[in-house]
Amino acid sequence: MMKYAVLFLILIVELIFSSTVLQFFSFFGSAPEMLLITIMLYSIIFRGKEGLVLAVIIGILSDILYGPFIGVNTIAFSLVAVSIYWVSSKFSQQSILTSVLCLALTLIIYNGLVYILLLLFQGGIPWMIYLRRFNLQYLIINLIVMLIMRYFILKLSQHPDFTSDVLV
């Protein structure tokens, strides 16, 4: 039970950070997708329902706090968690290459799905304007953030409380 509380607490802190600080400050015109990266890493490292359950919960909260429409982030985060879990199950969770490839897939799935959902809700913007945010700086910043977060989440996953299946 402590495992889920800690994982959820990490996402809540990131949600608050993303909806406040990262809304106003960006790095070279791009902001890292911390929540998305964490959901991706949970899906790779913990290989269970944790990634999906936490993706749904944090998706609902992020939709309420700063989403343009209720349901967009929930659907996108959930689909990312399921897709990354399925893809990463074919590869080693310890491999950095797996994480890098999953990050690319995550960003493509998330941005594509959000664009499609916004079009369905009549909140879409022209494709070329939306595509501008998906540039080299965006990829590099998310890659750097992912590598840093991956290190800490891997260390956390090796803690005895996280390797045990016993509920405390």
Side-chain angles (χ1 to χ4, degrees):
M1 194 66 170
M2 181 181 150
K3 174 181 177 179
Y4 300 112
V6 170
L7 294 176
F8 183 69
L9 183 64
I10 291 169
L11 282 170
I12 289 295
V13 168
E14 287 177 2
L15 177 65
I16 292 169
F17 187 70
S18 295
S19 63
T20 56
V21 176
L22 291 181
Q23 291 292 324
F24 301 106
F25 298 107
S26 61
F27 306 99
F28 304 109
S30 297
E33 302 280 356
M34 293 178 67
L35 287 171
L36 190 60
I37 292 169
T38 305
I39 289 168
M40 179 202 77
L41 290 170
Y42 285 177
S43 297
I44 293 172
I45 294 169
F46 295 110
R47 301 215 183 206
K49 293 185 282 187
E50 290 96 348
L52 179 60
V53 170
L54 291 170
V56 169
I57 293 170
I58 211 67
I60 291 169
L61 291 175
S62 67
D63 280 333
I64 291 170
L65 285 178
Y66 67 96
F69 299 100
I70 300 294
V72 171
N73 285 323
T74 306
I75 294 169
F77 287 168
S78 301
L79 186 63
V80 163
V82 169
S83 300
I84 295 304
Y85 169 73
W86 182 76
V87 168
S88 69
S89 65
K90 314 280 189 254
F91 303 101
S92 169
Q93 72 180 19
Q94 300 295 329
S95 171
I96 291 178
L97 184 59
T98 300
S99 297
V100 170
L101 293 175
C102 284
L103 176 67
L105 183 63
T106 296
L107 294 174
I108 291 168
I109 291 172
Y110 177 75
N111 286 300
L113 190 60
V114 166
Y115 182 78
I116 291 168
L117 289 172
L118 288 177
L119 279 178
L120 291 175
F121 291 132
Q122 275 85 35
I125 58 176
W127 176 247
M128 292 310 290
I129 293 174
Y130 191 77
L131 200 56
R132 276 191 218 158
R133 73 175 278 211
F134 198 77
N135 55 30
L136 187 59
Q137 292 101 340
Y138 178 75
L139 296 173
I140 291 171
I141 287 169
N142 281 299
L143 179 65
I144 292 169
V145 169
M146 186 272 299
L147 291 173
I148 294 168
M149 292 173 70
R150 180 183 180 277
Y151 173 79
F152 290 109
I153 292 176
L154 274 174
K155 288 292 182 192
L156 183 67
S157 72
Q158 294 166 354
H159 191 274
D161 289 336
F162 282 79
T163 56
S164 170
D165 288 336
V166 178
L167 293 176
V168 179

